[in-house]
Amino acid sequence: MAGSLTPTAHPTARPGGAGRPRTRLPALRWLLLRLGGAVFVVWAVATVTFFAIRLIPGDPAEAIVGGPGSQASDEALAEARADYGLDQPLPVQYLQYLGRLLRGDLGRSYALRDDVTTVIGENVGGTLTLAVASLALASVIALALAVWSARGGRAAGAVTSLLEIVAAAVPHFWLAISLILLFSSTLGWLPPVSVPGPLGLVLPVVTLALPLSGFLGQVMRESLLTALSSPFVLAARARGEGDSGVFWRHALRHAAIPAIGLAGWAFGALISGAVVVETIFARPGIGRSLLSAVQGRDVPLVTGIVISVAIVYMIVTTLTDLADRLVDPRLREEAR
């Protein structure tokens, strides 16, 4: 009788099979949450941009017919409003706008008379190249400062802390002008405006990378110092591993985890900084296009660029989360 009450395994059950659904379910839930969050962010960005651009003084119809200086007649302005649906009530315009977005239609630029998708496609490559190169340079500078601070003693720690604070506080426009005066006007080493080729990238990349390296350096330095006093480092030393091995094999990997987590935020900061940098260095990109579109009340182009940047930002943050899970074993255990 006692044996008949003992539960028996199902004939088709396999060892470890029960663990797989529990492993896949959190991953699927995480993916669905990320997808839902991305949809909400895109909707929120589109809504805020739609209403914010209409708070700017001026008539969007003037941008359609050539700008405020075009001296268009009232009849021409009325015809432009009718053609683009600007004569409809604002809630109706908003619903029509969302409907076009659901179909993937970003509209046509008022000023450029071209599809917004085409305009973004022609300019996004330059901005992404600038952002990726700046993020790579900022990460290298921050890592160098963190290593020097951790291995150089108190004096090195004080110097690196000062350098990080100064770098993080420098405005992009001031840094860009200073670099142009030094390396272009005085030394004549680099062109003052962006030109095709690697030389045209140097000053814009340095301008974006230096302030970001200050923020990343502070995070990496604190994380590295915390790692050097952590139990796993003490355990590695107790096993007989040398200081160099402990530093480069264990502590440095731990210090890189917060920097990876901040990569999404850093990418967003670089895109916003590109508006200033691309304008100063006359470099083609979506940042410069966005500034021109806002000044000219080019509503379709403004909304298209902002939504595209939001989508790219969500993709980058998702990739950084995945990288965190690959690098940090604690996150992998939580996922299981």
Side-chain angles (χ1 to χ4, degrees):
M1 294 294 293
S4 62
L5 296 177
T6 303
T8 57
H10 194 275
T12 59
R14 292 177 298 179
R20 286 185 186 139
R22 287 197 296 271
T23 302
R24 293 174 182 174
L25 186 58
L28 180 61
R29 187 188 305 119
W30 176 83
L31 183 60
L32 291 176
L33 287 175
R34 298 293 300 190
L35 182 60
V39 172
F40 175 78
V41 168
V42 171
W43 168 80
V45 167
T47 301
V48 171
T49 305
F50 176 85
F51 289 104
I53 196 66
R54 281 158 175 78
L55 295 177
I56 300 177
D59 188 355
E62 292 182 349
I64 299 174
V65 298
S70 62
Q71 298 181 350
S73 63
D74 293 339
E75 292 79 7
L77 292 174
E79 183 178 355
R81 294 189 192 98
D83 291 341
Y84 285 85
L86 299 176
D87 56 344
Q88 300 290 331
L90 194 60
V92 175
Q93 295 183 41
Y94 173 68
L95 293 177
Q96 293 175 347
Y97 161 73
L98 291 182
R100 290 193 298 270
L101 289 183
L102 289 175
R103 298 193 301 269
D105 181 11
L106 297 178
R108 290 178 61 85
S109 169
Y110 294 162
L112 302 177
R113 299 292 191 273
D114 200 355
D115 289 338
V116 171
T117 305
T118 303
V119 176
I120 294 174
E122 292 173 351
N123 291 278
V124 70
T127 301
L128 290 179
T129 300
L130 180 62
V132 171
S134 301
L135 181 59
L137 179 59
S139 301
V140 171
I141 296 174
L143 179 61
L145 291 176
V147 172
W148 183 36
S149 175
R151 298 177 70 88
R154 286 187 177 182
V159 173
T160 54
S161 178
L162 178 62
L163 290 176
E164 290 163 356
I165 294 173
V166 172
V170 172
H172 288 119
F173 70 89
W174 184 89
L175 182 58
I177 295 173
S178 300
L179 292 176
I180 291 173
L181 290 176
L182 177 60
F183 292 101
S184 298
S185 301
T186 304
L187 300 176
W189 292 351
L190 297 169
V193 296
S194 184
V195 296
L199 282 180
L201 267 175
V202 174
L203 291 184
V205 166
V206 172
T207 302
L208 280 177
L210 283 182
L212 179 61
S213 67
F215 290 103
L216 294 180
Q218 293 175 18
V219 174
M220 294 180 67
R221 176 168 53 85
E222 294 298 328
S223 179
L224 184 58
L225 293 176
T226 302
L228 289 174
S229 59
S230 297
F232 69 88
V233 170
L234 299 177
R237 285 174 175 163
R239 292 194 300 268
E241 193 162 358
D243 290 340
S244 297
V246 168
F247 184 87
W248 295 105
R249 193 174 302 172
H250 299 284
L252 197 61
R253 178 182 178 183
H254 180 83
I257 293 174
I260 294 174
L262 285 174
W265 165 84
F267 187 83
L270 291 172
I271 294 297
S272 63
V275 176
V276 176
V277 172
E278 289 175 354
T279 302
I280 294 177
F281 290 100
R283 178 178 175 81
I286 57 175
R288 187 181 175 191
S289 300
L290 178 61
L291 180 61
S292 300
V294 171
Q295 292 174 340
R297 290 184 59 87
D298 194 339
V299 178
L301 186 55
V302 171
T303 54
I305 290 177
V306 173
I307 291 172
S308 300
V309 170
I311 293 174
V312 173
Y313 176 77
M314 293 300 300
I315 293 174
V316 171
T317 53
T318 301
L319 293 177
T320 56
D321 286 349
L322 289 174
D324 268 343
R325 290 168 179 262
L326 293 176
V327 174
D328 193 345
R330 295 170 298 181
L331 295 179
R332 291 199 299 269
E333 291 300 326
E334 291 177 3
R336 295 192 184 99

